[in-house]
Amino acid sequence: MKGQAVHFGAGSIGRGFLGQIYCESGYHTTFIDVVPSVVNALNERGNYPLHIVSDTGMETTHITDVSAISGTSLEDAAAALARADIASTAVGLHALPHIAPVIARAVALRFENKDAASLDILICENLKDGEAHVRGLVAGHLAPSLLETLETRVGFIEASIGRMVPVITPEQRAEDPLAVWVEPYCELPVDARGFRGPIPPLKNLKPSSDFGAYVERKLFVHNLTHAATAYLGHLRGYAYVYEAIRDDTVRARVEAAGRETCRALVKKYGMDAASLEVHLQDLIYRYHNRALADPIARVGRDPVRKLGPEDRLVGAMGLCRSQNIASHAVATAAAAAILYDNPGDEAAMQVQALLRKGGVAAVLREICGLSPDSTAYIMIQRAFQALRKNVKES
């Protein structure tokens, strides 16, 4: 009998990442989603195409043995989850409170049988402290008598999403609403300590007992360099990530920023420097993927969040400072984010309005959370002045 996987969210990450992992591991996948057209199409077809694209061409595989349940049907969704061998979420921070009642109901149903196996749920949200956050949300919908069961028999496992899946264009969606385009990279690092039952034999699952190092590597190497490519590329007039990273100036600055944070991670966690350099170069190689056609507008979206005190730019500078590593290249990437003036991005326009009103000092205080006497404040301010001068002269 096939294993049963349940995944919340039949979007690009759900269909383009988790669906592939479950299919290739021999599971039937039940997607829980609130978009009726997607739910109906998955049930009618039972499969969908996954286009794996790179500069060497496109390979299309079909993700089979799938079905779907509407997320608006709490009882149906909970019943499916209660029977699952493994489950996962990729719905986004704001949707997590809406799936918590379903998980709570599933816990109540599953553990009516005192001998039921533990339930483990992969939290694929790139959410800091995701385990505690989701566990707290679910606990709020459970009877007090089930709280110990939730703690001891339900695992919420933090995961780090590294696969790049661009937003599907209207033209692609019109051609096939279920198709997904993804890059070849398909690894899912997870926190091995979060499982309550045995770790399942999922293809490309990478359990780690030192998951904090993976989380910071993802945020301060991958997310940092991806954003740096977008913001620095935007300043030079590019529309796509693959165009920006082919610019020698952009690439040099992106690599320099990544190396600063890699050095900090080596000092903080004892990570292998050579392996981190291989990882950085692999990321640079992946950014070259012309076939993925990842828009700078997608990668650079919401600079308010990305410039936050603990996020990929200012947070990376904090990491470097804690390890006595200079972060001038990261400061340049942060300055480029402040200069990101995409009219189609509401958050970017918010930064630009603050910049016009109070100058870069206001952005550094109010968005980056930096004090004027901090090293990061001074470094970003200087980098901003240098970049703005170059933009005006070009």
Side-chain angles (χ1 to χ4, degrees), residues 62-378:
H62 279 79
I63 306 304
T64 59
D65 207 2
V66 301
S67 60
I69 292 172
S70 173
T72 61
S73 178
L74 187 149
E75 288 299 327
D76 289 346
L81 181 58
R83 297 189 298 267
D85 297 299
I86 186 67
S88 50
T89 77
V91 296
L93 175 62
H94 299 301
L96 286 172
H98 299 291
I99 69 172
V102 177
I103 298 173
R105 178 59 179 151
V107 170
L109 289 172
R110 186 184 186 97
F111 296 106
E112 286 176 354
N113 175 5
K114 303 300 182 185
D115 297 323
S118 298
L119 175 62
D120 285 316
I121 304 173
L122 307 176
I123 308 301
C124 304
E125 306 291 349
N126 279 338
L127 172 66
K128 187 177 181 181
D129 299 324
E131 188 273 344
H133 181 75
V134 178
R135 188 178 295 280
L137 290 174
V138 175
H141 295 276
L142 277 177
S145 60
L146 282 169
L147 292 179
E148 183 179 354
T149 298
L150 178 70
E151 181 61 37
T152 60
R153 302 180 70 184
V154 182
F156 296 100
I157 300 94
E158 295 186 34
S160 178
I161 304 299
R163 175 173 256 185
M164 291 183 283
V165 184
V167 175
I168 297 171
T169 67
E171 293 76 19
Q172 290 171 332
R173 186 174 287 108
E175 182 180 336
D176 186 341
L178 292 185
V180 190
W181 283 256
V182 301
E183 66 165 340
Y185 180 87
C186 188
E187 290 187 359
L188 183 61
V190 297
D191 188 351
R193 301 166 301 175
F195 288 93
R196 295 297 186 264
I199 296 176
L202 295 175
K203 184 177 179 181
N204 293 323
L205 193 75
K206 305 294 181 184
S208 171
S209 56
D210 190 12
F211 189 65
Y214 269 100
V215 171
E216 293 206 355
R217 189 188 76 167
K218 170 62 168 54
L219 183 60
F220 298 138
V221 182
H222 185 171
N223 294 134
L224 164 69
T225 56
H226 208 197
T229 304
Y231 293 131
L232 291 164
H234 175 80
L235 285 181
R236 295 175 73 85
Y238 299 115
Y240 293 96
V241 166
Y242 74 83
E243 296 174 325
I245 202 63
R246 283 170 161 80
D247 182 302
D248 289 343
T249 299
V250 172
R251 175 170 178 161
R253 284 173 167 167
V254 169
E255 285 185 326
R259 289 197 177 108
E260 288 172 351
T261 56
C262 283
R263 287 198 294 274
L265 290 172
V266 169
K267 289 190 68 174
K268 182 174 181 177
Y269 292 106
M271 299 176 80
D272 181 68
S275 296
L276 279 172
E277 176 64 20
V278 169
H279 177 63
L280 174 61
Q281 291 305 319
D282 180 61
L283 289 170
I284 299 296
Y285 171 77
R286 288 160 60 192
Y287 300 159
H288 279 75
N289 191 340
R290 184 191 305 266
L292 203 60
D294 209 356
I296 280 175
R298 185 194 78 84
V299 179
R301 185 175 55 218
D302 194 1
V304 171
R305 177 170 63 87
K306 293 179 171 71
L307 282 163
E310 297 183 0
D311 212 282
R312 64 212 68 194
L313 297 162
V314 178
M317 296 185 72
L319 166 69
C320 290
R321 184 177 65 254
S322 73
Q323 303 303 316
N324 295 316
I325 302 292
S327 54
H328 297 288
V330 181
T332 297
I338 295 172
L339 285 165
Y340 182 63
D341 58 351
N342 178 4
D345 188 321
E346 184 177 340
M349 292 299 94
Q350 181 182 337
V351 176
Q352 296 309 301
L354 186 58
L355 192 58
R356 288 191 298 271
K357 181 180 178 181
V360 67
V363 177
L364 292 172
R365 287 194 312 270
E366 297 182 29
I367 292 178
C368 302
L370 296 171
S371 61
D373 60 347
S374 68
T375 302
Y377 181 106
I378 296 167

Side-chain angles (χ1 to χ4, degrees), residues 13-48:
I13 293 296
R15 298 199 312 277
F17 194 12
L18 277 300
Q20 180 185 2
I21 288 175
Y22 292 141
C23 177
E24 294 182 353
S25 302
Y27 286 73
H28 172 89
T29 306
T30 300
F31 290 99
I32 298 175
D33 201 89
V34 295
V35 180
S37 60
V38 172
V39 171
N40 293 339
L42 286 168
N43 285 327
E44 288 169 6
R45 291 161 53 174
N47 69 84
Y48 59 88

